[in-house]
Amino acid sequence: MQSSLAVFQAEWCPYSRKVRQKLTELGVSFVAMPVPADPADREEMRRKVGTDEIPAVLFDDGSVLKGDADEIVATLGAMFNERSDAEEHRRRAGQHPADGVR
């Protein structure tokens, strides 16, 4: 099952990072939709996914995964099979601190 999806996210958000990492492990392509830092300025996001909280995943059929990042990750894991190199992706991600980018 391959879908087109968009992830409403911010690079500084550790919960968004978890979702992006899982999608990488699953080999699922996605479009990163950067959102304004202030939730009050996220009107487009609210219209599209029904929340201003990140992360949120929007599928091409209009379905949305939102809420707790661990629940989003678990749902994605149930929907898609991991890549053969998923463990290597996890290992390499663990070598780089989340706040290492400036």
Side-chain angles (χ1 to χ4, degrees), residues 1-8 19 22-23 26 28-31 33 47-50 55-66 71-80:
M1 170 186 184
Q2 181 66 26
S3 272
S4 168
L5 54 90
V7 179
F8 289 82
V19 171
K22 185 61 175 182
L23 289 167
L26 296 169
V28 175
S29 297
F30 62 94
V31 175
M33 303 294 293
R47 275 195 320 273
K48 290 185 176 181
V49 296
V57 178
L58 175 64
F59 292 89
D60 58 355
D61 67 359
S63 60
V64 177
L65 295 176
K66 58 187 175 182
E71 290 176 14
I72 293 171
V73 165
T75 301
L76 291 169
M79 294 174 70
F80 302 98

Side-chain angles (χ1 to χ4, degrees), residues 17 21 33 37 65 67 81 87:
R17 182 176 194 244
Q21 177 65 35
M33 303 294 293
L65 295 176
N81 294 319
E87 188 57 42

